[in-house]
């Protein structure tokens, strides 16, 4: 076949498309591009660019008004980091065309209502802030903005509504004040004072039981981890004390004051907050992450204090930039570094703090963890002379504070640091951390270093890690990830099953079939002979031991070899692990063979779940079993458990989706039939048509119910085992008179919290069962507190 | 009531009154590259259709010593891996510096393209690209000597990839 040219091939099989020069959509693209790009680096000043753009848009209004309205509403919602640029633009347009200004305000209100209806609360905040800054641009009259805020604050008077609802309206009001506080106070000081005092009393009476669950550190030194509304309130109070003087926000509209103050203003229509419904899902409360203050960069510009409104604005904007550009790491890094005010604030410190704030956010980071690693690497590339040092300083600080850091956050720190190091030849001043060598290995610092070194090894190889750490760190170095085969040595020949193991080895090497394996295993005696349940099949731990040990040993060379082995002898596995005890024992043997290679254990468990050799509940029980107690606080165990829960969740979602799709197919079939023939009343034929689909739906319905029940059971098992383990510890401490707060206890209780937080949406379905069955009033208050904190998150 | 993560919720594209912005839609790391496998059986159109829904990535510029385990660890950071297939020298049947990584979900593969492509593994900047899907035979290098084509004609010395290129070695 001759080589066809690329252009020929691209038409083959494709419906023939001729590109029409569609003018309208091209113009729309151009308009969108013009609007989106204003404010970026340019040879002209921002003011002249805004002036020019306002002129262009004004000229296009007669033909493209609705498109321009839509684009402006969208940038208001999605580009909050450029808020004041666009409010200025709208201000200029309003000054030139009063009607347009009115239509824009109406469109914004419509958009706000829609956002609130579909639970898009973050974007709604941006819209509220935009509207409030429009007061500064003489587009909206201050009194009508105050009136809207009065309705917002009024939500705190509603009865029987979740606190998180009132929280949002309060946040929307307070977080707009850095932009518009001054103007509103100048025009309506009495009303504003009233609003602020109502705010103060709401904040005093709202409950904050949820806060400990969301804090990255449990200690208040050196920086308290404040609840987000408390922090914002302090910032606004300080702003008020400073007579609302705010100097950080860039306000392009100031340059246009003479033009704008001639403009006629619009009144916001009275805004009634949409009522609370069952479907309302409000944002979860947050804790503000702080790790730096002005003392950390003594040479550079002063970092705004934790209760300054500047700090709030900078952090908001940096978070918004990440939210806008998370998919484009180079753009994101460049945008972060070109945040205005570079020489007045220690920008690198703010950026690093904001990135770690997201990485450590509880319950989960806004974006996938690996994004932050790569973003930090891009930032290091763009600022090689300064950013790596700030990052090293941050790492050092995080290490120093490990003792009080939440276990989930430590996990993320381990993952980030090891992955980061692997991009920089693992260069680090390990000796600076020699203090951890003298501590008990279960303490947070040595534990952290151990886990980091293990992860570093996974990204390279064992000898590399031995080479990069000082000799003194060998006690923390990971084990050489070799397989432990109990029947390997001649000296073990007295072990029961040894000869069968030899037999198996030869058979497998000679490509034996599953049947041949079964017949070899038949000769293995059952140490549980007395527990014969008389149903024909008994759980024979020795059979499992011999088979699994031998097979895994033979397949030890790589993951692929092990996966092939699991696949080839799937039948044997299924039979041996048929009972619950069988499944548990398989997992135990896997652990015995591969305890030096946690990564291998994890991938084998994953494969065994996916091929249904073991089920999720078996994995949960195995993790809490006494055999694993020694490794219970190791990171890989929790990675396995959470991965297991995630697989269960995905499974339920998948079947549910299948069910919905089949129901939709049936509905379409009905619709087709109804619209087709009115005269064919043959019921039998319609039943016949529906039959298979209806059967399928019934089957899927059963599958969904059974999967959901398995899912619920998994969580119940996990919670039950946690309660047993923690209660045992608490009782032992109390009777022994020793302090409850051992490193093990801290780790364990935070792992319990982690289950709640990581899977909160699913667990919220089980609240009644949990309350009545497991987390009852008789439970020790230490354990009950975790449950109560979780309940408080959604109250 | 139910609480959601602060940034959860239906995508902005669902908003009927605004839609989204093309500058925010930009996802250059996850786009198809210019490369097309010349051995692909089928039309260019078929190939591109497969590339656009693929969950499989080609990974290149690996060291010959990089193991499946290392690849699993690194690429596992963007999601659950279904399979890793190591690229092999056709003659020696040893690793020759590339592999395929298949995910269960395309979104996870996209994140690998966004955040793992262009970063280091075994101290080497690795490159990922969409692959139309593994087929038996594609795990072998296509260079005349059995390795990858790029190692045939390479002039530089690369300790992680057998030293000098094959043509240079034969001189």
């Amino acid at each position: 076949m001759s080589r066809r040219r690329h252009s020929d091939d691209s038409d083959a099989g494709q419906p023939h498309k001729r590109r029409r020069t569609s003018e309208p959509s091209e113009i729309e693209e151009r308009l969108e591009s013009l609007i989106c790009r204003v404010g970026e680096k340019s040879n002209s000043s921002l003011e002249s660019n805004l002036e020019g753009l306002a002129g262009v848009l004004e000229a296009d209004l007669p033909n493209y008004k609705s498109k321009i309205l839509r684009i402006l509403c969208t940038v208001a919602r999605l580009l909050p980091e450029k808020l004041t640029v666009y409010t200025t633009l709208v201000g200029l347009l309003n000054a030139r065309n009063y009607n347009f200004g009115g239509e824009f305000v109406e469109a914004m209100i419509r958009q706000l209502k829609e956002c609130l209806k579909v639970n898009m609360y973050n974007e709604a905040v941006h819209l509220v802030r935009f509207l409030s800054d429009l007061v500064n641009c003489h587009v909206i009259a201050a009194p009508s903005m105050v009136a809207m805020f009065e309705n917002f604050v009024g939500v705190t008077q509603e009865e029987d509504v979740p606190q998180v609802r009132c929280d949002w309206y309060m946040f929307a009001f307070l977080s707009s004040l850095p932009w518009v506080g001054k103007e509103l106070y100048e025009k309506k000081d009495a009303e504003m004072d009233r609003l602020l005092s109502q705010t103060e009393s709401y904040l005093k009476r709202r409950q904050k039981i949820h806060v400990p669950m969301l804090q990255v550190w449990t200690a208040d030194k050196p920086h308290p981890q404040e609840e987000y509304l408390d922090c914002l309130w302090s910032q606004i109070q300080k702003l008020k004390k400073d007579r609302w003087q705010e100097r950080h926000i860039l306000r392009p509209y100031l340059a246009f004051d003479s033009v704008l103050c001639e403009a006629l203003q619009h009144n916001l229509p009275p805004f009634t907050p949409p009522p609370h419904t069952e479907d309302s899902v409000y944002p979860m409360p947050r804790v503000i992450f702080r790790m730096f203050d002005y003392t950390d960069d003594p040479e550079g510009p002063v970092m705004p204090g934790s209760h300054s409104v500047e700090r709030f604005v900078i952090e908001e904007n940096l978070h918004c930039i990440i939210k806008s550009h998370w998919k484009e790491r180079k753009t994101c890094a460049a945008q972060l570094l070109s945040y205005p005010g570079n020489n007045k604030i220690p920008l690198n410190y703010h950026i690093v703090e904001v990135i770690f704030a997201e990485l450590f956010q509880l319950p989960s980071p806004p974006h996938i963890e690996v994004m932050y690693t790569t973003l930090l690497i891009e930032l290091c590339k763009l600022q090689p002379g300064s950013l790596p040092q700030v990052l090293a300083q941050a790492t050092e600080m995080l290490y120093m504070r490990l003792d009080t850091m939440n276990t989930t956050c430590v996990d993320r720190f381990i993952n980030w640091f090891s992955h980061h190091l692997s991009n920089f030849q693992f260069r680090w001043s390990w000796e600076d951390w020699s203090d951890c060598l003298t501590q008990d290995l279960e303490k947070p610092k040595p534990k952290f270093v151990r886990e980091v070194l293990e992860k570093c090894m996974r990204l390279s190889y064992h000898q590399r890690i031995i080479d990069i750490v000082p000799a003194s760190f060998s006690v923390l170095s990971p084990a050489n990830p070799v397989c432990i085969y109990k029947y390997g040595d001649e000296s073990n020949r007295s072990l029961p099953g040894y000869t069968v193991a030899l037999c198996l080895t030869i058979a497998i090497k000679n490509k034996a079939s599953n049947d041949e394996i079964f017949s070899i295993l038949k000769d293995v005696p059952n140490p549980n002979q007395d527990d014969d349940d008389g149903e024909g099949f008994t759980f024979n731990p020795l059979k499992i031991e011999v088979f699994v040990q031998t097979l895994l040993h033979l397949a030890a060379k790589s993951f692929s070899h092990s996966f092939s082995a699991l696949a080839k002898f799937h039948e044997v596995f299924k039979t041996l692990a048929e009972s619950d005890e069988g499944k548990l024992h398989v997992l135990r043997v896997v652990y015995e063979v591969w305890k030096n290679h946690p990564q291998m254990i994890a991938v084998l468990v994953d494969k065994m779940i996916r091929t249904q050799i073991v089920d999720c509940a078996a994995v949960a029980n195995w993790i809490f079993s006494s055999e694993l107690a020694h490794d219970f606080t190791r990171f890989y165990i929790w990675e396995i458990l959470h991965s297991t829960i995630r697989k269960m969740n995905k499974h339920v979602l998948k079947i549910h989706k299948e069910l919905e799709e089949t129901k939709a197919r049936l509905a379409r079939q009905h619709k087709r039939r109804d619209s087709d023939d009115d005269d064919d009343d043959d019921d039998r034929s319609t039943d016949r048509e529906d039959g298979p689909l209806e059967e399928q739906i019934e089957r899927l319905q059963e599958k969904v119910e059974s999967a959901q029940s398995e899912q619920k059971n998994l969580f119940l098992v996990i919670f039950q085992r946690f309660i047993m383990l923690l209660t045992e510890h608490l009782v032992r401490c109390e009777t022994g008179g020793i302090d409850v707060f051992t490193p093990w206890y801290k780790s364990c209780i935070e792992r319990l919290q982690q289950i709640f937080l990581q899977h909160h949406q699913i667990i919220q379905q089980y609240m009644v069962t949990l309350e009545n069955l497991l987390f009852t009033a008789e439970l020790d208050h230490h354990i009950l507190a975790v449950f109560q904190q979780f309940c408080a998150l959604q109250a | 009531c139910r609480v959601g993560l602060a940034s959860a919720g239906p995508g902005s594209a669902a908003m009927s009154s605004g839609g989204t912005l093309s500058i925010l839609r930009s996802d250059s790391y996850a786009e198809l590259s210019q490369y097309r496998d010349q051995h692909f059986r089928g039309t260019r159109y078929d190939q591109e259709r497969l590339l656009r829904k693929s969950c499989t990535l080609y990974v290149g510029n690996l060291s010959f010593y990089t193991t499946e385990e290392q690849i699993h660890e690194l690429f596992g950071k963007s999601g659950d891996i279904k399979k890793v297939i190591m690229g092999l020298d056709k003659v020696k049947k040893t690793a020759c510096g590339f592999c395929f990584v298949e995910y269960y979900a395309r979104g996870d593969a996209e994140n690998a393209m966004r955040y793992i492509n262009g970063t280091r593994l075994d101290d080497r900047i690795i490159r990922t690209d969409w692959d139309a899907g593994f087929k038996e035979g594609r795990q072998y290098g296509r260079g005349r000597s059995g390795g990858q084509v790029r190692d045939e004609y390479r002039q530089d010395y690369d300790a992680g990839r057998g030293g000098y290129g094959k043509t240079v070695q034969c001189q």
Side-chain angles (χ1 to χ4, degrees):
Chain A
M1 179 172 291
S2 66
R3 277 273 205 145
R4 310 228 313 263
R5 285 186 313 142
H6 188 153
S7 53
D8 296 332
D9 286 351
S10 61
D11 283 338
Q14 212 175 358
H16 205 59
K17 282 196 292 194
R18 210 156 258 309
R19 252 246 275 222
R20 267 178 284 115
T21 33
S22 35
E23 274 222 11
S25 78
E26 272 182 16
I27 299 226
E28 186 169 354
E29 274 172 39
R30 191 178 64 88
L31 283 173
E32 190 184 296
S33 173
L34 279 174
I35 293 172
C36 286
R37 291 196 195 299
V38 77
E40 283 173 24
K41 274 205 176 80
S42 151
N43 290 329
S44 335
S45 71
L46 175 61
E47 285 78 26
S48 81
N49 284 338
L50 279 171
E51 181 106 56
L53 181 56
V56 167
L57 293 178
E58 191 194 2
D60 280 330
L61 278 181
N63 295 323
Y64 300 104
K65 184 178 67 176
S66 60
K67 297 201 200 305
I68 292 172
L69 272 176
R70 190 169 65 227
I71 295 170
L72 288 175
C73 280
T74 310
V75 301
R77 186 166 49 88
L78 299 180
L79 295 179
E81 61 266 32
K82 291 171 77 175
L83 170 64
T84 52
V85 170
Y86 293 118
T87 52
T88 306
L89 180 61
V90 172
L92 292 174
L93 286 172
N94 179 56
R96 297 163 186 235
N97 188 324
Y98 176 78
N99 286 335
F100 177 78
E103 286 185 65
F104 177 75
V105 172
E106 275 170 26
M108 284 287 284
I109 294 291
R110 270 197 311 270
Q111 196 183 203
L112 175 60
K113 285 192 176 137
E114 212 179 309
C115 275
L116 294 176
K117 228 175 29 186
V118 297
N119 293 322
M120 288 169 74
Y121 286 97
N122 282 356
E123 306 195 348
V125 168
H126 302 153
L127 295 175
V128 173
R129 236 176 255 168
F130 197 95
L131 288 171
S132 66
D133 202 43
L134 285 178
V135 173
N136 293 324
C137 301
H138 298 261
V139 177
I140 291 178
S144 69
M145 194 74 223
V146 174
M148 181 188 243
F149 284 143
E150 277 169 350
N151 286 343
F152 276 28
V153 175
V155 169
T156 60
Q157 301 301 318
E158 286 176 6
E159 293 190 350
D160 292 326
V161 292
Q163 181 173 286
V164 282
R165 170 180 164 83
C166 307
D167 284 352
W168 185 82
Y169 282 96
M170 193 51 75
F171 180 70
F173 162 56
L174 288 175
S175 69
S176 304
L177 293 183
W179 281 267
V180 75
K182 180 155 185 277
E183 187 66 20
L184 292 185
Y185 204 76
E186 268 170 24
K187 296 276 157 51
K188 287 277 181 182
D189 62 339
E191 286 79 356
M192 286 297 287
D193 273 333
R194 200 164 39 236
L195 283 179
L196 291 174
S197 107
Q198 282 174 334
T199 300
E200 184 160 27
S201 68
Y202 171 70
L203 292 176
K204 278 210 177 83
R205 69 171 192 266
R206 68 190 276 273
Q207 60 86 351
K208 292 194 290 223
I209 307 175
H210 54 275
V211 172
M213 207 175 209
L214 303 175
Q215 286 175 319
V216 172
W217 290 286
T218 54
D220 265 345
K221 291 200 172 1
H223 311 109
Q225 304 296 292
E226 290 181 279
E227 214 265 356
Y228 78 115
L229 277 183
D230 287 341
C231 186
L232 182 54
W233 175 237
S234 300
Q235 288 162 334
I236 299 301
Q237 280 184 301
K238 183 167 184 297
L239 179 63
K240 178 170 183 226
K241 251 211 299 252
D242 292 341
R243 293 179 310 128
W244 304 99
Q245 300 297 331
E246 189 292 316
R247 282 179 237 287
H248 175 81
I249 297 174
L250 238 52
R251 298 175 193 260
Y253 39 82
L254 292 176
F256 293 104
D257 197 48
S258 52
V259 169
L260 293 177
C261 69
E262 297 294 311
L264 288 173
Q265 296 167 325
H266 304 267
N267 282 319
L268 278 175
F271 185 89
T272 320
H276 172 66
T277 70
E278 250 184 31
D279 296 325
S280 305
V281 180
Y282 302 99
M284 196 178 277
R286 288 171 285 130
V287 167
I288 302 298
F289 176 85
R290 289 277 161 67
M291 64 181 292
F292 291 130
D293 63 30
Y294 70 97
T295 62
D296 294 308
D297 183 23
E299 320 264 313
V302 176
M303 189 173 218
S306 59
H307 285 167
S308 73
V309 101
E310 283 76 19
R311 193 72 175 261
F312 173 77
V313 171
I314 294 166
E315 286 166 0
E316 279 288 299
N317 283 334
L318 292 179
H319 281 300
C320 287
I321 290 173
I322 296 175
K323 181 149 185 242
S324 293
H325 302 289
W326 62 275
K327 295 196 294 289
E328 295 281 1
R329 67 205 211 205
K330 281 193 166 67
T331 307
C332 195
Q335 291 285 335
L336 285 170
L337 288 170
S338 53
Y339 181 73
N342 200 343
N343 44 6
K344 297 207 206 83
I345 54 173
L347 184 58
N348 284 344
Y349 283 84
H350 284 291
I351 291 174
V352 167
E353 189 177 71
V354 161
I355 289 176
F356 279 125
E358 293 202 5
L359 180 63
F360 295 135
Q361 183 176 299
L362 293 169
S364 312
H367 303 287
I368 188 173
E369 276 177 57
V370 68
M371 184 278 273
Y372 299 103
T373 311
T374 309
L375 179 60
L376 284 168
I377 292 174
E378 290 297 327
L379 287 163
C380 284
K381 280 196 218 164
L382 290 176
Q383 297 265 292
S386 54
L387 208 115
Q389 290 87 318
V390 177
L391 207 47
Q393 193 180 353
T395 307
E396 188 61 45
M397 292 169 72
L398 292 171
Y399 170 81
M400 298 297 287
R401 299 177 61 184
L402 276 170
D403 288 332
T404 54
M405 192 185 222
N406 182 295
T407 302
T408 306
C409 301
V410 177
D411 289 349
R412 298 192 203 150
F413 184 21
I414 292 166
N415 277 335
W416 167 72
F417 188 51
S418 54
H419 188 191
H420 180 84
L421 284 181
S422 76
N423 274 271
F424 296 97
Q425 300 111 41
F426 297 107
R427 275 183 276 118
W428 183 249
S429 46
W430 300 99
E431 314 74 29
D432 289 353
W433 289 354
S434 325
D435 62 317
C436 74
L437 296 173
T438 51
Q439 292 182 18
D440 170 354
L441 290 186
E442 276 304 305
K443 284 253 155 80
K445 281 181 184 161
K447 200 155 188 314
F448 167 77
V449 175
R450 269 180 75 194
E451 297 284 4
V452 164
L453 292 179
E454 189 178 309
K455 287 272 167 162
C456 287
M457 178 182 71
R458 292 198 200 184
L459 289 167
S460 60
Y461 51 95
H462 187 247
Q463 188 56 44
R464 185 85 195 275
I465 303 309
I466 306 296
D467 291 341
I468 60 157
V469 291
S472 51
F473 275 71
S474 59
V475 61
L476 298 178
S477 296
N480 199 1
V482 293
C483 147
I484 305 170
Y485 181 47
K486 76 192 286 186
Y487 305 110
D489 216 68
E490 269 262 330
S491 60
N492 295 333
R493 71 196 118 102
S494 54
L495 285 175
Y498 179 80
T499 31
V500 181
L502 276 184
C503 231
L504 267 181
T505 304
I506 297 168
I508 294 172
K509 279 188 175 161
N510 288 327
K511 309 208 189 290
S513 68
N514 280 275
D515 287 334
E516 291 168 60
I517 303 297
F518 275 126
S519 63
I520 296 175
L521 288 176
K522 233 183 349 172
D523 300 330
V524 176
N526 189 344
N528 293 349
Q529 206 61 10
D530 311 323
D531 302 349
D532 192 331
D533 60 12
E535 280 179 26
F537 179 76
T538 49
F539 158 57
N540 185 338
L542 190 55
K543 252 192 212 179
I544 293 174
E545 178 117 40
V546 172
F547 172 67
V548 176
Q549 280 259 354
T550 307
L551 186 67
L552 290 186
H553 167 245
L554 285 170
K557 184 154 188 236
S558 75
F559 289 176
S560 286
H561 287 83
S562 295
F563 296 159
S564 290
L566 286 182
K568 182 151 200 281
F569 296 105
H570 185 249
E571 215 189 305
V572 180
F573 269 106
K574 283 286 279 189
T575 312
L576 290 177
E578 204 172 310
S579 66
D580 284 344
E581 304 130 306
K583 293 181 169 65
L584 201 52
H585 203 68
V586 166
L587 291 166
R588 274 196 211 109
V589 177
V590 167
Y591 173 74
E592 287 302 320
V593 174
W594 282 116
K595 56 163 67 133
N596 288 327
H597 196 346
Q599 193 194 12
M600 174 67 95
I601 298 178
V603 303
L604 285 175
V605 171
D606 176 83
K607 248 322 170 251
M608 290 193 294
I609 293 176
R610 290 186 191 273
T611 54
Q612 296 170 327
I613 292 172
V614 301
D615 57 24
C616 297
V619 175
N621 278 317
W622 167 65
I623 284 178
F624 286 93
S625 69
S626 49
E627 287 86 1
L628 235 42
H630 178 259
D631 277 8
F632 188 72
T633 55
R634 285 188 55 188
F635 190 4
Y636 82 91
I637 292 292
W638 300 96
E639 286 185 315
I640 292 176
L641 184 60
H642 283 284
S643 169
T644 302
I645 298 174
R646 274 196 314 269
K647 279 191 274 285
M648 181 82 249
N649 295 344
K650 281 188 185 155
H651 176 66
V652 169
L653 286 176
K654 185 166 156 234
I655 307 185
H656 194 82
K657 189 165 161 226
E658 241 183 277
L659 175 63
E660 295 302 307
E661 279 170 0
T662 315
K663 278 187 181 165
R665 269 167 58 199
L666 185 65
R668 280 198 300 273
Q669 191 164 292
H670 281 168
K671 226 171 103 180
R672 258 198 315 266
R673 206 182 23 250
D674 289 345
S675 63
D676 273 349
D677 35 29
D678 302 300
D679 21 75
D680 192 337
D681 285 29
D682 192 340
D683 287 328
R684 278 189 322 171
S685 83
T686 55
D687 282 348
R688 238 203 325 270
E689 274 173 41
D690 283 348
L693 270 186
E694 277 174 0
E695 259 178 52
Q696 216 178 341
I697 289 178
E698 218 182 287
R699 260 200 331 265
L700 283 172
Q701 191 74 54
E702 278 173 24
K703 250 179 114 178
V704 165
E705 279 164 19
S706 127
Q708 283 173 335
S709 149
E710 195 187 335
Q711 185 184 39
K712 183 173 184 179
N713 183 54
L714 175 61
F715 280 105
L716 290 181
V717 164
I718 292 171
F719 285 131
Q720 212 159 29
R721 301 300 297 257
F722 261 117
I723 291 174
M724 279 163 50
L725 214 54
L726 286 165
T727 307
E728 218 182 273
H729 169 86
L730 289 164
V731 165
R732 212 174 330 120
C733 287
E734 257 157 71
T735 49
I738 40 179
D739 185 21
V740 159
F741 286 92
T742 60
W744 179 91
Y745 174 77
K746 176 179 184 289
S747 178
C748 189
I749 199 101
E750 284 175 358
R751 290 291 178 202
L752 173 58
Q753 273 177 345
Q754 188 184 27
I755 304 281
F756 276 111
L757 284 181
Q758 298 249 290
H759 308 284
H760 65 97
Q761 270 165 327
I762 315 270
I763 296 174
Q764 276 168 6
Q765 303 166 57
Y766 311 141
M767 295 309 281
V768 176
T769 310
L770 293 176
E771 206 168 351
N772 294 333
L773 211 58
L774 293 176
F775 293 94
T776 57
E778 294 94 53
L779 211 55
D780 185 299
H781 68 97
H782 292 96
I783 309 173
L784 201 51
V786 175
F787 181 67
Q788 287 165 342
Q789 284 165 13
F790 176 68
C791 295
L793 274 181
Q794 38 174 354
Chain B
C1 79
R2 299 189 336 259
V3 287
L5 291 178
S7 51
S12 343
M15 287 289 295
S16 59
S17 63
T20 179
L21 300 168
S22 60
I23 58 165
L24 296 180
R25 272 197 301 264
S26 178
D27 197 2
S28 62
Y29 287 89
E31 282 167 6
L32 302 190
S33 71
Q34 301 294 351
Y35 174 86
R36 296 289 178 269
D37 180 4
Q38 295 300 321
H39 291 210
F40 178 80
R41 317 280 279 275
T43 64
R44 270 290 143 82
Y45 176 71
D46 290 335
Q47 192 177 38
E48 280 172 29
R49 198 173 42 89
L50 287 173
L51 289 173
R52 281 184 215 287
K53 63 183 183 92
S54 169
C55 295
T56 306
L57 299 179
Y58 162 87
V59 184
N61 199 37
L62 296 173
S63 154
F64 286 9
Y65 305 103
T66 299
T67 61
E68 185 188 346
E69 287 71 21
Q70 286 170 276
I71 291 161
H72 209 280
E73 178 69 15
L74 181 61
F75 283 86
K77 291 180 186 295
S78 70
D80 291 340
I81 294 172
K82 188 169 176 186
K83 197 163 187 172
V84 171
I85 298 166
M86 300 299 289
L88 302 175
D89 182 299
K90 197 161 190 160
V91 173
K92 299 189 215 141
K93 302 293 199 288
T94 55
C96 69
F98 74 98
C99 75
F100 297 101
V101 177
E102 187 188 350
Y103 290 91
Y104 290 100
R106 179 167 170 100
D108 296 343
E110 285 171 354
N111 277 333
M113 291 288 288
R114 292 181 190 124
Y115 307 120
I116 301 178
N117 186 15
T119 66
R120 290 185 191 267
L121 178 57
D122 263 342
D123 301 319
R124 307 171 64 91
I125 303 267
I126 58 170
R127 195 180 61 80
T128 65
D129 199 359
W130 292 108
D131 187 82
F134 176 75
K135 289 228 155 31
E136 180 54 38
R138 296 192 66 235
Q139 71 268 42
Y140 296 114
R142 295 174 182 164
R144 266 182 19 144
S145 318
Q148 290 199 279
V149 171
R150 61 202 297 256
D151 292 310
E152 285 294 311
Y153 306 108
R154 191 164 51 72
Q155 299 288 314
D156 60 313
Y157 183 84
D158 187 340
R161 290 182 74 99
Y164 287 105
K166 289 294 186 303
T167 327
V168 171
Q169 280 180 23
C170 291
Q171 283 169 1

